[in-house]
Amino acid sequence: MTHIADAPTGSVGPVLPTRGVLMPLGLDEVQITRGYWADLQELNSAVVIDHAEHWMERVGWIGNFDAAREGRLPADRTGREFADSDVYKLMEAMAWEIGRTGDVRLEERFQALTARILPVQEADGYLNTHFGRAGQAPRYSDLENGHELYCFGHLIQAGVARWRTRGRDEFVEMALRAADHVCEVFGPGGLDGIGGHPEIEPALVELSRCTGEGRYLDQAMLFLERRGHGRLGEVWFGPEYFQDDIPVRDAEVLRGHAVRALYLTAGAADAAVEREDGPLLEAVQRQMARTVARRTYLTGGMGAHHEGEAFGDDFELPADRAYSETCAGVGAAMVGHRLLLATGEAEHADLVERVLYNVVSTSLAEDGKAFFYTNTLHQRSPGRQTAGDEVAPRAAASMRAPWFAVSCCPTNVARTLASLGAYVATKDDGGVQLQQIVPAQVRTTLADGCPVGVEVSTDYPHDGRIQIRVTEDATRPWTLKVRVPAWARNEAVLRVGAETVMPADGYLTLTRAFAAGDEVQVDLPVRARWTFADPRVDAVRGQVAIERGPVVMCLESVDLGADVATATVDVTAAPVEADGQVLVPVRRIGMADPTWPYGAAGTVGAGQASGAAQGSAVAGASAAVVTGGSAEPELVPLVPYHSWGERGPSTMRVWIPVADD
Ligand SMILES: [Zn+2]
């Protein structure tokens, strides 16, 4: 098998389409210089990657490869059937990080891991520690749950990261052999199967982009087209669980296991772009539009069912039962990024921003050593702190935990943070688009050779002012676009000299023959605001959330001094901002137990704080609220949702019932 020998020149990043409305600027073209995202990258670099490697040594998932080499399998294997994939995801994170920082020590560790895995690959390219040996199930004997193709997908994505950052080495060769094996076994005339957990699809398309070899794209397309016809065997949750119920072209909305659905959709978007397959791209856009409109939490989180880790029905979005797996947040960012590139529509970058600030960064503890697997929007009882050396069950972990029995999320966070720069900016022939508001240096060359460079300075999301300084003399006029988040579109303004520009189609747009030193200022209305839900989201009807810029806020019991179940909030005035805090007027309801908690209006609920029953279960928006607690509202501080649970066990809610008048 021959492959293009050299790493592609130009951009470096996880998603590099050969066509589309916008091209991503690579990690070599965008440096995040400071601020919230830079801090996350630094934490990832200093702590998270080490932490994940340490844990995978400790629980033996890396050691599975040693056991394979030394003939100790299956006796000495640890972890679930997909444990290999987390080693590959760690290595993808390492690869991006080595590319970003040139960290020599990390490079040595990457090579050391490669040396332990490489000998495990079999002569025909097959590589998996869970199948195929004496005493193990045969290869591809459990496509529903075996995760072999899923593991290959993550190996290939790590291989792509390695190729694009360091060129073609033995790790890349290993990934190529695995991809060739997959094409050989599952290609035309081969096994007519698909993997129960999508992931091989976006991986093969990206490898095709990386190598220029169409057969990887062909194989991805084959997997996509095979799905939805009931090829996989029966499982408890039904074929919807792994999107084998409806062909990807025919589906109207994402359903079933959320991470599976999102990875599949990412792969479908990739294949549609490369094949210039309009109907497939339209199908993906249609499904995502309805999913975002009807099956997505305020945080951008997806997955309303713990059972099956799945999407619920339209508008079925219970705050307290939200699954909102961290990996689904990563998957939503993957899809949003791809659709942004394919269409240029700002709403997709809005979704990326929402999940990065409110799902991915929520998962990660401030110290980088613990994670949420699920991301509830309402914690009803104080969680239990997992001991530092304890492996937590995934969804049952009620606080951030250092590691999980199924630990897909930590390595997903790590690889996303290491490649965050890829989400910041895009370009087309006409100019550059700043898609995420991040302090950064951006430098690229347009198709005709016109150099473009800008330096972005801002304290966003704390503050809405953004200074953009041009750093290159242009050879001709080019267009600078700055994405304006949907919540800012009525007030955002761009100023250049005495001229002002208002947003249109989600962007502030300015065309100039820019010269180095030119300055542009953008102002976004970053202040705390009340956010209400479509009334069809009945689980939070009569409740309100608070957002500030792109950041969802929440109320914690440690700030209220009581269970958040007692809080109602007065929305007649705007939230208060003081001393860097957001405060809301809270009126507490009584919590004395009645003998029976239901009855006619005005008869239910006993006041505790006031000592007298003042039930006023009025019909309408706040019918669920029964007053009787504190009469006068008290100002209570909120915290960013991504910072909740950092001060010990607490109860928490994003959606707070609106107080009766
Ligand atoms: Zn996960």
Side-chain angles (χ1 to χ4, degrees):
M1 187 56 48
T2 56
H3 298 283
I4 297 168
D6 299 313
T9 55
S11 287
V12 174
V15 185
L16 299 182
T18 63
R19 43 180 67 79
V21 174
L22 303 177
M23 291 293 139
L25 292 197
L27 305 174
D28 51 331
E29 297 170 301
V30 176
Q31 280 80 46
I32 300 173
T33 49
R34 59 177 193 82
Y36 186 77
W37 287 26
D39 292 347
L40 285 176
Q41 285 203 307
E42 185 53 38
L43 187 65
N44 193 43
S45 177
V47 180
V48 180
I49 289 173
D50 291 1
H51 176 90
E53 187 181 10
H54 162 81
W55 269 96
M56 279 193 281
E57 292 284 13
R58 176 178 178 154
V59 296
W61 300 354
I62 297 173
N64 286 338
F65 292 98
D66 304 332
R69 262 193 347 268
E70 294 159 10
R72 294 186 281 109
L73 292 182
D76 287 352
R77 195 175 182 286
T78 68
R80 292 284 301 271
E81 57 273 33
F82 39 76
D84 296 358
S85 70
D86 279 300
V87 181
Y88 304 145
K89 279 155 70 187
L90 168 70
M91 294 185 77
E92 185 191 338
M94 287 176 160
W96 294 127
E97 192 59 23
I98 292 163
R100 191 176 77 84
T101 62
D103 186 329
V104 174
R105 192 180 61 94
L106 200 56
E107 171 66 22
E108 288 169 3
R109 282 159 52 198
F110 187 95
Q111 291 185 15
L113 284 173
T114 302
R116 290 163 74 182
I117 299 169
L118 201 56
V120 182
Q121 187 169 39
E122 298 179 36
D124 64 351
Y126 184 83
L127 173 57
N128 193 293
T129 64
H130 189 66
F131 287 95
R133 293 167 191 79
Q136 292 183 325
R139 293 178 182 183
Y140 307 122
S141 58
D142 184 7
L143 287 173
E144 291 74 26
N145 300 306
H147 287 76
E148 288 152 289
L149 290 169
Y150 170 84
C151 289
F152 282 134
H154 281 302
L155 171 64
I156 291 166
Q157 284 189 329
V160 167
R162 184 67 175 167
W163 186 327
R164 287 180 175 159
T165 50
R166 296 287 289 188
R168 198 167 160 172
D169 70 351
E170 46 181 15
F171 185 88
V172 174
E173 299 295 343
M174 177 167 65
L176 288 167
R177 283 193 297 274
D180 291 341
H181 162 82
V182 169
C183 293
E184 187 71 33
V185 173
F186 289 90
L191 250 178
D192 181 27
I194 55 174
H197 198 313
E199 161 58 24
I200 189 71
E201 296 84 355
L204 284 172
V205 178
E206 210 56 45
L207 188 64
S208 171
R209 290 165 170 166
C210 195
T211 59
E213 283 205 26
R215 66 198 208 96
Y216 299 132
L217 174 59
D218 294 344
Q219 186 62 47
M221 205 67 201
L222 211 48
F223 282 137
L224 286 162
E225 300 286 16
R226 281 177 188 164
R227 205 171 204 91
H229 299 280
R231 275 186 175 76
L232 293 167
E234 292 207 1
V235 288
W236 171 255
F237 301 117
E240 174 181 292
Y241 174 70
F242 26 47
Q243 295 76 46
D244 198 27
D245 54 337
I246 304 171
V248 67
R249 290 177 186 279
D250 300 338
E252 295 294 331
V253 68
L254 301 198
R255 69 239 169 266
H257 186 277
V259 179
R260 283 171 164 80
L262 286 157
Y263 285 8
L264 179 70
T265 305
D270 284 331
V273 166
E274 294 305 321
R275 281 284 182 84
E276 296 186 291
D277 187 332
L280 182 57
L281 185 61
E282 280 164 27
V284 169
Q285 287 179 271
R286 178 179 74 228
Q287 291 164 33
M288 273 308 279
R290 181 163 149 190
T291 301
V292 170
R294 299 181 177 210
R295 297 187 174 191
T296 301
Y297 285 99
L298 176 64
T299 54
M302 295 184 187
H305 288 181
H306 280 234
E307 184 168 276
E309 305 181 298
F311 284 100
D313 289 335
D314 285 353
F315 302 109
E316 183 194 355
L317 293 162
D320 56 350
R321 295 295 297 158
Y323 198 72
S324 182
E325 182 179 339
T326 300
C327 288
V330 170
M334 286 165 59
V335 175
H337 184 51
R338 284 158 171 80
L339 289 182
L340 171 70
L341 299 175
T343 67
E345 292 164 4
E347 67 194 50
H348 302 301
D350 279 16
L351 177 64
V352 170
E353 179 177 45
R354 191 168 282 281
V355 297
L356 288 177
Y357 277 111
N358 301 300
V359 180
V360 176
S361 65
T362 303
S363 170
L364 185 61
E366 277 171 5
D367 69 0
K369 294 180 178 174
F371 308 82
F372 280 128
Y373 189 108
T374 63
N375 293 278
T376 186
L377 279 75
H378 181 179
Q379 181 76 26
R380 286 188 180 275
S381 54
R384 186 182 71 82
Q385 193 83 56
T386 306
D389 59 353
E390 186 184 348
V391 174
R394 46 183 153 171
S398 51
M399 297 190 70
R400 292 181 185 87
W403 203 251
F404 303 91
V406 171
S407 215
C408 45
C409 301
T411 51
N412 234 348
V413 170
R415 70 184 185 129
T416 303
L417 295 185
S419 56
L420 265 186
Y423 295 97
V424 174
T426 54
K427 69 178 176 182
D428 57 14
D429 290 349
V432 161
Q433 305 80 36
L434 298 177
Q435 301 291 358
Q436 300 298 336
I437 310 301
V438 183
Q441 305 258 15
V442 176
R443 193 167 292 120
T444 189
T445 307
L446 303 182
D448 65 354
C450 178
V452 170
V454 295
E455 184 178 285
V456 183
S457 305
T458 180
D459 285 328
Y460 185 86
H462 306 298
D463 182 88
R465 173 147 300 178
I466 303 141
Q467 303 281 0
I468 302 165
R469 195 172 65 82
V470 176
T471 58
E472 308 283 331
D473 290 320
T475 53
R476 50 106 170 163
W478 61 272
T479 300
L480 171 69
K481 285 188 170 191
V482 181
R483 180 185 60 93
V484 177
W487 48 265
R489 285 181 193 152
N490 290 332
E491 293 182 61
V493 61
L494 179 151
R495 293 186 180 84
V496 54
E499 190 183 336
T500 60
V501 175
M502 305 305 285
D505 297 328
Y507 292 97
L508 291 159
T509 302
L510 180 69
T511 303
R512 284 277 194 286
F514 287 103
D518 285 355
E519 300 233 359
V520 175
Q521 181 179 308
V522 171
D523 284 293
L524 302 180
V526 173
R527 57 178 174 268
R529 61 188 189 275
W530 304 119
T531 297
F532 297 89
D534 183 308
R536 289 173 290 181
V537 186
D538 53 0
V540 294
R541 197 180 291 165
Q543 303 184 35
V544 67
I546 299 89
E547 296 179 276
R548 186 176 187 280
V551 175
V552 173
M553 308 296 292
C554 69
L555 175 65
E556 273 196 277
S557 55
V558 286
D559 292 310
L560 184 64
D563 187 344
V564 294
T566 64
T568 69
V569 64
D570 184 341
V571 296
T572 50
V576 175
E577 297 200 46
D579 301 327
Q581 282 191 312
V582 175
L583 304 101
V584 293
V586 170
R587 266 194 243 170
R588 302 225 211 135
I589 56 172
M591 293 294 279
D593 282 339
T595 53
W596 180 241
Y598 310 100
T603 67
V604 191
Q608 183 170 276
S610 66
Q614 297 178 15
S616 63
V618 296
S622 53
V625 178
V626 180
T627 58
S630 56
E632 286 305 310
E634 52 180 317
L635 283 175
V636 178
L638 305 180
V639 293
Y641 173 67
H642 62 230
S643 298
W644 93 269
E646 292 284 5
R647 295 169 293 171
S650 66
T651 61
M652 177 281 296
R653 59 194 304 164
V654 166
W655 292 99
I656 309 171
V658 175
D660 292 338
D661 293 331

